[in-house]
Amino acid sequence: LENLALYFESHPQLEFADAMVAARIFAGSLMHFLIVQKLMQGEEILPLDGDRLAAGLVAVMLTAGKKSV
């Protein structure tokens, strides 16, 4: 998380008000996806392509960064 937060901080064009919060949201979303898909058999009942999730997450993060308080 610290490295991801440092990465976000080193890219001011992302405009995240709090890089650590952004890092936790990003990592937490990926962990949730893996837990649901792999540990809770989500692949069968809630299928979602990992690339689709990653693209959506990046789009949301970029949009959110522009509107951070």
Side-chain angles (χ1 to χ4, degrees):
L1 288 174
E2 289 179 14
N3 286 339
L4 185 55
L6 288 172
Y7 176 84
F8 289 159
E9 287 175 355
S10 71
H11 291 82
Q13 68 273 22
L14 294 173
E15 299 181 28
F16 291 133
D18 188 326
M20 182 54 78
V21 169
R24 285 181 177 268
I25 291 169
F26 190 84
S29 296
L30 296 177
M31 287 187 284
H32 176 268
F33 173 76
L34 291 172
I35 289 168
V36 169
Q37 295 298 300
K38 303 299 181 184
L39 298 178
M40 300 177 73
Q41 289 79 42
E43 292 172 325
E44 298 171 15
I45 56 175
L46 297 169
L48 180 62
D49 179 63
D51 290 339
R52 182 176 170 198
L53 174 89
L57 179 57
V58 168
V60 166
M61 295 294 292
L62 290 177
T63 301
K66 302 296 182 193
K67 296 179 181 178
S68 294
V69 179

